[in-house]
Structure formats: C-alpha cells, structure tokens
Amino acid sequence: MTRSIIDHTTSESEKTAPGLCPDCETDTIVHDPDRGERVCEECGLVLTEDPIDYGPEWRAFNAQEHDELSRVGAPLTQSMHDRGLTTTIDWRNKDANGHSMSADKHGQLHRLRVWQERIRTKNAGERNLKYALSEIDRMVSALGVPKPVKETASVIYRQALEQDLIRGRSIEGVATSALYTACRKEDIPRSLEEVTAVSRVDQREIGRTYRYIADELDINLEPTNPRQFVPRFCSELDVDKGVETKAVEIIDQTTDQGLHSGKSPTGFAAAAIYAAGLLCDETIPQRAVADTAQTTVVTVRNRYREQLDAIDQQPAT
C-alpha cells in the first residue's frame, strides 16, 4: 500500500543517490506500467506518477452505445481494395442533420456517387483487386465462414497479385483458390466440393490453381483431418451426441493406422458417422450421409467397411 504522493520536483531526490528512494534510501524502486508510477517497494513511497487516462472520456454499456459514441471509423481491413480508407457517399438523400434534401439535389448526389465509385480505382491492378475481393466476399457469405478467413484469403490474393501469379489465370479461379487455401490455413472445414459449389469456375481449375499458388507463395498446409467435418455433418444429420463421439473415436483409431491416407476427408468422415450409427444402434440412411458430405453412396459403403475392419468391430445383427 502506497504511503503518500510527493511533489514532482527533483529537489527531494537530488539529496540521495540516483536510483535510491529519498525516504528510506533503498534501491527497491519499481515501475508500475499499468498506473504509470515509480514506487518504492520497501516503504511504499510514490516517486513519480503519470495519471493520464488514454481511454475514451465516455462510457458505453452495450455494443450499440459503443458504436454511437465512438468517433473513429472502422478498422483497416485487407478485404477491401483500399483497405477501407475511402470515403463513401451514403445512398440516403439526407444531410448531416438527418434532414431530407430537396428534389433538385437528388440528381446531383447520384452523379457524385457515380463518379466517386469510378475514381476509387486508378489503374487496372486496383480494378482487378476490387473485383477479386468482391468475389471472395460473395463466396464467404455463401459458405458462412468467419471473418478471419476472408481477411486471410484477401492477403493471399494480394500476395499473388504482387508476385504476378494472376497472369494467364482467371480472377475467379485465383480468388476461389485463395479462399480455399485460407479455409485450410485457418482450420475451417470446407471441402473443395463445397467451395466449388459457390464458385464460378470448375473444380479442376480450382485445384490446379490452388496447388500453384501454395507452391509459389511457399504455403505449407497439413493434410485435412477428417474429424474436423464430424461436428458439422452430425449437426446437419441431427444424430445423437453418442454417435458423434463414436465417429471421432473411429477416425482417431483409423488415422493412427494410416487408413485415411489418399482418401477424401469428407467421405472418410461420412463413413465414420455411418459406422458409428451402426455401432450405436441408430439408423442413418447412407444416402442422407452421402448427400450431407457431398460424396457418393459407394464411397460411404466402401469406407465404412474398411473402418470397421480396421477397428475390429462389427454392428450387432
């Protein structure tokens, strides 16, 4: 507990050696970065203080109040070609006080919006980036992946654009490959088939471009673990929690044996869920499991038999 706060003048401290407490003359002076003070641990004397509050002068008790009281803009983001620094003209024809403008101002504001949108991109590279980032934003919304994935995908596309990896390839293909790479990098379980379903290019081009970008940008990704897909597939199938737990156990045991090597992770996860349903006496149609994982019934049938043989368990007949 501190004893007292002395004056900030140096007359008191000049009487003692530098680094010593002017009261007890010990060298136990420490700095408290949270309070901005230099305090003697021995006697509790506060030598200097810096009572500056670097926080806002207002208080907010919920997110809405925080947004209303804050006087700063949105943080910088890689998902916009100008990183969010450009000023935009609001689509509502109202002034700063919220009053509606006159009819003769509407046409002028419309022309300002058009020109403002045109001058946001000054060269072909920025137009390329703007279109690619809008494609990434559209696919992120369709896939329902979190914001960090969009930011990572935007950074990957920017790096590909800076190293001229776009030449000879479609913008949509590189953007989709960047998004798929970001999903893999952030451990978000989205299969290549799911990404292809929301893309404007075919799966072969996405896979080829993904391998090229990952190699050129030196992005080393671990193989996708099939267990990442189990919670989402089980949720969509509305199966019991015990089935999900058993499916994870099956995947862990079979992957330790290397059974998943060279096989589709979504098909492997779907087969584990079906096998877990059989072992837990819960009927799950093979067609439903295959449709959820966007794979074929034949794949589910072949994989689940291999898994049951590997763990040496068979469903009760």
Side-chain angles (χ1 to χ4, degrees):
M1 182 174 181
T2 57
R3 197 157 51 81
S4 62
I5 299 178
I6 65 174
D7 186 51
H8 289 279
T9 60
T10 59
S11 59
E12 188 75 21
S13 60
E14 287 175 351
K15 300 178 182 179
T16 59
L20 298 180
C21 175
D23 192 15
C24 63
E25 298 185 359
T26 59
D27 59 351
T28 57
I29 298 175
V30 295
H31 176 70
D32 185 358
D34 295 332
R35 299 174 61 89
E37 298 175 346
R38 292 177 65 244
V39 185
C40 176
E41 283 188 326
E42 184 68 25
C43 64
L45 180 67
V46 178
L47 280 76
T48 57
E49 63 174 351
D50 185 17
I52 299 177
D53 185 4
Y54 294 98
E57 78 285 358
W58 43 265
R59 294 187 300 170
F61 300 97
N62 53 50
Q64 182 179 358
E65 290 184 3
H66 183 276
D67 294 338
E68 291 176 351
L69 295 174
S70 178
R71 293 190 296 274
V72 297
L76 295 179
T77 174
Q78 299 292 335
S79 59
M80 300 180 67
H81 77 283
D82 52 12
R83 293 181 173 83
L85 291 175
T86 301
T87 302
T88 57
I89 301 176
D90 192 19
W91 61 271
R92 292 167 295 189
N93 297 316
K94 295 183 178 181
D95 58 15
N97 296 322
H99 301 148
S100 297
M101 293 185 175
S102 58
D104 58 342
K105 292 284 186 179
H106 291 183
Q108 181 181 359
L109 285 174
H110 175 71
R111 289 191 296 272
L112 287 174
R113 292 190 192 99
V114 172
W115 279 106
Q116 194 269 345
E117 188 66 25
R118 288 176 180 174
I119 63 176
R120 288 184 66 183
T121 54
K122 59 183 179 182
N123 53 43
E126 288 192 1
R127 288 192 293 270
N128 179 312
L129 185 60
K130 180 181 178 182
Y131 177 70
L133 296 181
S134 66
E135 277 292 294
I136 292 175
D137 183 66
R138 179 188 64 82
M139 291 185 289
V140 163
S141 178
L143 288 172
V145 295
K147 185 177 179 180
V149 175
K150 181 168 70 171
E151 292 290 329
T152 303
S154 302
V155 171
I156 293 174
Y157 189 90
R158 287 177 182 273
Q159 293 174 348
L161 185 62
E162 291 174 359
Q163 298 189 22
D164 199 23
L165 304 181
I166 316 296
R167 187 182 300 276
R169 293 170 177 81
S170 66
I171 298 177
E172 295 88 350
V174 178
T176 308
S177 302
L179 178 58
Y180 179 66
T181 305
C183 290
R184 293 278 303 273
K185 197 171 183 179
E186 297 293 333
D187 292 329
I188 301 299
R190 292 296 184 273
S191 64
L192 185 59
E193 291 78 11
E194 291 176 294
V195 176
T196 304
V198 300
S199 177
R200 303 183 192 272
V201 294
D202 57 37
Q203 182 172 333
R204 180 177 298 179
E205 180 179 351
I206 296 172
R208 183 170 59 247
T209 308
Y210 154 73
R211 289 188 293 269
Y212 173 73
I213 289 179
D215 182 61
E216 292 294 326
L217 297 181
D218 195 22
I219 301 176
N220 298 319
L221 300 173
E222 296 292 332
T224 303
N225 193 332
R227 66 179 298 171
Q228 293 180 346
F229 296 93
V230 172
R232 182 160 59 92
F233 290 170
C234 288
S235 177
E236 295 179 9
L237 292 168
D238 193 23
V239 298
D240 187 71
K241 187 67 177 179
V243 175
E244 179 180 343
T245 303
K246 188 64 177 178
V248 172
E249 293 178 2
I250 293 174
I251 291 177
D252 289 341
Q253 295 178 27
T254 52
T255 52
D256 289 342
Q257 301 178 26
L259 190 64
H260 71 298
S261 179
K263 299 179 174 64
S264 169
T266 54
F268 201 83
I273 294 173
Y274 181 75
L278 294 178
L279 296 177
C280 296
D281 294 329
E282 182 170 343
T283 303
I284 307 174
Q286 287 185 3
R287 172 60 61 184
V289 177
D291 291 343
T292 301
Q294 295 185 2
T295 186
T296 64
V297 176
V298 176
T299 299
V300 175
R301 187 181 301 122
N302 293 337
R303 295 290 90 79
Y304 99 85
R305 289 173 178 169
E306 295 173 356
Q307 292 171 350
L308 291 179
D309 291 339
I311 63 177
D312 197 18
Q313 292 188 33
Q314 295 298 327
T317 55

